[in-house]
Amino acid sequence: MQGTVATYDPETRTGTLLLDDGSTVTFPAAAFDASGLRLLRLGQRVRLEHDAAGTLVRITLPTFQ
């Protein structure tokens, strides 16, 4: 699943993503920390990874595997 960064707070490392269907998803600091990224920019495309329970566990760039 992919989305676009709508908000990002570098101090708390949390934010919201706008999905292609128009819904929003809030991501926790743990999902950002698991990405290995240093920052996100508004409007940047990201890929969302969920665990078996549906919890957002990692945000990566679409080109990363």
Side-chain angles (χ1 to χ4, degrees), residues 9-24:
D9 182 348
E11 290 186 22
T12 62
R13 299 174 326 281
T14 61
T16 56
L17 305 170
L18 180 63
L19 302 183
D20 293 340
D21 67 1
S23 61
T24 58

Side-chain angles (χ1 to χ4, degrees), residues 1-2 17 25-37 40 46-51 54-61 63-65:
M1 178 182 304
Q2 292 188 7
L17 305 170
V25 173
T26 302
F27 64 87
F32 177 77
D33 293 343
S35 73
L37 300 173
L40 292 172
V46 293
R47 186 176 67 190
L48 291 70
E49 295 182 18
H50 296 84
D51 63 13
T55 303
L56 180 59
V57 293
R58 188 165 85 142
I59 300 166
T60 61
L61 299 180
T63 55
F64 289 178
Q65 290 295 344

